[in-house]
Amino acid sequence: MDGRFFQLSCTKIMAMAGGVLLLLSQTVYSAAILEGQRMHPVEGKNGMVVTSHFLATQSAQEVLEKGGNAIDAAVTAAFSLAVTQPRSGNIGGGGFMLISSEKKNEVVAIDYREKAPGKATVDMFLDKDGNADKIVSRFSHLAAGVPGTVAGLGMALEQYGTISLEEAMAPAIKLAEEGFAVTPRFSNGLKKREKRLKKWDSSKRIFYKPDGSYYEPGDLFVQKDLAATLKRISQNGIKEFYEGKTAELLVAEMAKHGGLITMEDMKNYSPELRTPVHGNYRGYDIYSMSPPSSGGTHVVQILNILEGYPISEYGHNSAQTIHLMAEAMKRAYADRSLYLGDEDFVKIPLKGLTSKTYAASLREKIDINKATPSSTISPGKPLPYESNETTHFSIVDKFGNAVSNTYTINFSYGSGIIVEGAGFLLNNEMDDFSAKPGVPNAYGLLGGEANKVEPNKRMLSSMSPTIVKKGGKNFLVTGSPGGSRIITTTLQVIMNVIDHGLNIQSAVAASRIHHQWMPDQLRVEEGLSPDTVKKLQEMGHEVKTKSAMGAIQSIMIRDGVMYGGADPRRSTGLAAGL
Ligand code: DON
């Protein structure tokens, strides 16, 4: 909880230092208040916004206050994050948005994942000896997929929103043009990634002062080029990004540095409306992202396996519970490596992977007391085929709409390359393809044929924006960054609420664990008791305590009250209710 206190005190200091008056509206309650032994979530009756940056939360909250719906607020939040949190908020990347409407009784998914350029080839990331070249797939112009964010947000607003693009983008333009006070997190992030960003003149000019020195907490950070880009989009529409001056700047950047994206790639990009993966866990309806993300498929698959155990009886974060979770996770990640990819290109046995029968067959192979070495687990046989940064936000409104959105440029600051003259960072999402079978990507994830590079294909993702419904009503809105850990982070918040009865703030804050089959390692956060760790080791798990995982911004709705829980793992996060 220190992070929350830190954020609020920082906010105050910055407000004084930078002369920025930050008026927290009376309806914003601090999530830092502890009552008894439980962490208190933020409450709201007429809407709730939870994002990883307080300025984006406030922009979106104002949209709801003026009568906009959750989708309007989501578009505003996304553009605002692109300005205030350039390490992950973006217009140069892509993502997924789940929208649930109680009135229409439907949950839809907008897939605005980046696509490989038309000239991409299967061996584009192999060096002359046939080895995967990480520098090329992560830190060059070839690392960039055709960005989908602007088109995705445009589609959301046009089909499900109520305000104009100009209205939705106005707060972001103001933040870029007039600037905002730098937070400690913002300043530290740029110091940490100095080498990567200063390699490119275009990035150096944006993220460092003219003499090369750092922006320090309290300094005003203005982004004129980005403001101009956002203004052009706001005035000329989504087409501006894909066919106008912005596209030209991006394509010129590519041509100058050996990148592949052409005007044709930009013009041809279109987001897709997809049907989310649907599962049922102990009577709750789980909706989460379908391919080209692996997220929803495996969240549902792992829940299906775990449904066969009395998890609440075993207790939250007990050795028994963690052991079973890890065993289920291993089997799911093994399947991920073989079956998952872009469904427009490969057939995925989705029904099989998410079926209760298949889960039962995997459960049978789990020893309740002993870890199965990952080396002896291989991808299973579901039923046959049927015809280091990201950011998540969750928003609900008083009209029964919920939005769960995760978008990314992959690493913190993507490839580190700013498009000259356009002021935004390029993603390095091409690294999410499998550069070579058996060679893990940046998150240690293995992949093969199904996720090989192909022209115009979407690279496999783990992003898992999720909406849980109970009796037709929106109940839980959640999702997280964290690369391969996204799936397991999301899973744990669902289980913390459904199995363990934690309120949303406690569910979000609780220590997390993660297993991804390979490497055969049970990764845990600080906070597990030493005797739990000892028991897990006795069961055969190699337990490794590492840095915090994910930043899961979540909302739970109960008896008409909306409860927001911002993840204390992000010092700038804020939940705000109306
Ligand atoms: O789509 C994916 O799964 C990754 N590109 C997400 C990257 C990510 O979450 C990094 N953040 N910590």
Side-chain angles (χ1 to χ4, degrees), residues 204-453:
K204 193 169 149 191
R205 263 200 298 280
I206 301 288
F207 291 124
Y208 302 90
K209 292 182 177 171
D211 64 356
S213 63
Y214 304 124
Y215 284 95
E216 298 292 351
D219 284 349
L220 197 67
F221 187 69
V222 177
Q223 298 169 84
K224 291 282 180 214
D225 284 352
L226 182 58
T229 298
L230 293 173
K231 262 192 196 164
R232 285 195 306 273
I233 299 171
S234 153
Q235 283 160 8
N236 308 336
I238 303 304
K239 266 193 165 181
E240 157 60 30
F241 188 86
Y242 292 94
E243 296 177 48
K245 182 175 173 193
T246 313
E248 282 164 11
L249 287 169
L250 189 148
V251 169
E253 175 77 29
M254 289 287 145
K256 193 169 160 195
H257 297 278
L260 296 183
I261 302 175
T262 60
M263 284 304 279
E264 208 187 349
D265 288 325
M266 294 296 285
K267 197 172 165 209
N268 288 342
Y269 184 88
S270 65
E272 300 292 334
L273 261 191
R274 308 233 183 238
T275 307
V277 173
H278 175 235
N280 190 284
Y281 184 62
R282 304 192 201 279
Y284 291 83
D285 283 296
I286 315 287
Y287 295 90
S288 190
M289 193 59 215
S290 43
S293 180
S294 59
T297 307
H298 298 304
V299 165
V300 168
Q301 182 185 11
I302 299 170
L303 287 172
N304 282 344
I305 299 173
L306 293 171
E307 201 178 36
Y309 302 107
I311 294 291
S312 67
E313 223 172 85
Y314 292 151
H316 178 250
N317 275 357
S318 68
Q320 185 67 78
T321 298
I322 294 176
H323 165 67
L324 294 169
M325 287 166 73
E327 290 303 299
M329 288 170 184
K330 283 182 202 173
R331 272 109 186 143
Y333 278 84
D335 283 349
R336 182 190 191 280
S337 73
L338 181 66
Y339 295 115
L340 272 286
D342 180 353
E343 233 189 344
D344 292 344
F345 285 72
V346 289
K347 282 184 168 182
I348 302 172
L350 207 58
K351 272 242 169 76
L353 286 168
T354 55
S355 82
K356 299 274 185 200
T357 332
Y358 179 55
S361 73
L362 294 177
R363 196 184 310 122
E364 262 174 30
K365 294 184 195 125
I366 293 176
D367 183 329
I368 190 133
N369 297 311
K370 204 99 215 100
T372 317
S374 290
S375 55
T376 65
I377 299 174
S378 35
K381 290 197 171 27
L383 281 180
Y385 296 98
E386 303 258 326
S387 40
N388 238 350
E389 175 89 23
T390 299
T391 190
H392 178 87
F393 58 80
S394 297
I395 300 180
V396 298
D397 63 24
K398 61 182 176 192
F399 311 112
N401 300 305
V403 173
S404 180
N405 187 89
T406 317
Y407 74 156
T408 186
I409 40 176
N410 199 19
F411 288 12
S412 273
Y413 312 101
S415 60
I417 305 169
I418 283 269
V419 174
E420 181 73 61
F424 65 89
L425 281 165
L426 289 169
N427 68 80
N428 59 346
E429 223 72 64
M430 293 292 281
D431 190 66
D432 274 351
F433 276 119
S434 178
K436 187 182 172 179
V439 176
N441 74 357
Y443 305 101
L445 289 168
L446 293 173
E449 198 56 24
N451 189 34
K452 69 180 179 194
V453 187

Side-chain angles (χ1 to χ4, degrees), residues 5 10 91 158 164 199 275 280 286 326 399 469 474 489 556:
F5 285 117
C10 275
I91 56 172
E158 201 181 294
S164 68
K199 194 172 146 197
T275 307
N280 190 284
I286 315 287
F399 311 112
K469 292 176 75 175
N474 295 327
T489 296
M556 185 170 109

Side-chain angles (χ1 to χ4, degrees), residues 14-246:
M14 285 179 322
M16 287 186 295
V20 177
L21 192 60
L22 197 67
L23 281 173
L24 291 180
S25 102
Q26 287 192 330
T27 48
V28 178
Y29 303 94
S30 159
I33 302 165
L34 300 179
E35 241 180 49
Q37 299 206 317
R38 294 199 120 194
M39 286 163 229
H40 233 252
V42 174
E43 293 177 17
K45 278 293 271 179
N46 291 309
M48 177 67 64
V49 181
V50 191
T51 85
S52 56
H53 200 290
F54 54 92
L55 291 173
T57 296
Q58 286 165 349
S59 301
Q61 192 191 14
E62 276 164 28
V63 172
L64 292 183
E65 270 164 3
K66 284 189 205 147
N69 70 12
I71 298 89
D72 301 326
V75 174
T76 293
F79 279 116
S80 300
L81 283 164
V83 177
T84 58
Q85 192 172 275
R87 69 168 78 205
S88 53
N90 68 81
I91 56 172
F96 304 111
M97 182 185 285
L98 248 66
I99 302 174
S100 168
S101 157
E102 286 179 357
K103 277 190 195 140
K104 290 192 238 163
N105 193 24
E106 70 170 17
V107 186
V108 295
I110 299 179
D111 166 8
Y112 59 97
R113 180 73 161 166
E114 301 92 326
K115 277 180 153 184
K119 285 190 201 137
T121 56
V122 68
D123 55 1
M124 64 185 280
F125 297 122
L126 301 184
D127 63 19
K128 58 179 176 5
D129 301 320
N131 298 317
D133 188 334
K134 291 179 195 163
I135 304 296
V136 181
S137 69
R138 296 175 193 175
F139 304 114
S140 77
H141 287 72
L142 291 176
V146 182
T149 296
V150 174
L153 299 178
M155 181 186 241
L157 197 64
E158 201 181 294
Q159 300 203 12
Y160 302 94
T162 65
I163 62 176
S164 68
L165 187 63
E166 265 177 300
E167 284 171 289
M169 292 183 72
I173 294 172
K174 191 162 188 275
L175 284 163
E177 202 157 48
E178 295 175 12
F180 56 90
V182 164
T183 62
R185 179 165 193 259
F186 188 97
S187 173
N188 290 337
L190 294 175
K191 285 176 189 167
K192 196 168 161 201
R193 298 288 176 225
E194 181 176 8
K195 212 172 133 212
R196 184 182 306 169
L197 293 164
K198 281 196 174 166
K199 194 172 146 197
W200 309 96
D201 281 345
S202 55
S203 307
K204 193 169 149 191
R205 263 200 298 280
I206 301 288
F207 291 124
Y208 302 90
K209 292 182 177 171
D211 64 356
S213 63
Y214 304 124
Y215 284 95
E216 298 292 351
D219 284 349
L220 197 67
F221 187 69
V222 177
Q223 298 169 84
K224 291 282 180 214
D225 284 352
L226 182 58
T229 298
L230 293 173
K231 262 192 196 164
R232 285 195 306 273
I233 299 171
S234 153
Q235 283 160 8
N236 308 336
I238 303 304
K239 266 193 165 181
E240 157 60 30
F241 188 86
Y242 292 94
E243 296 177 48
K245 182 175 173 193
T246 313

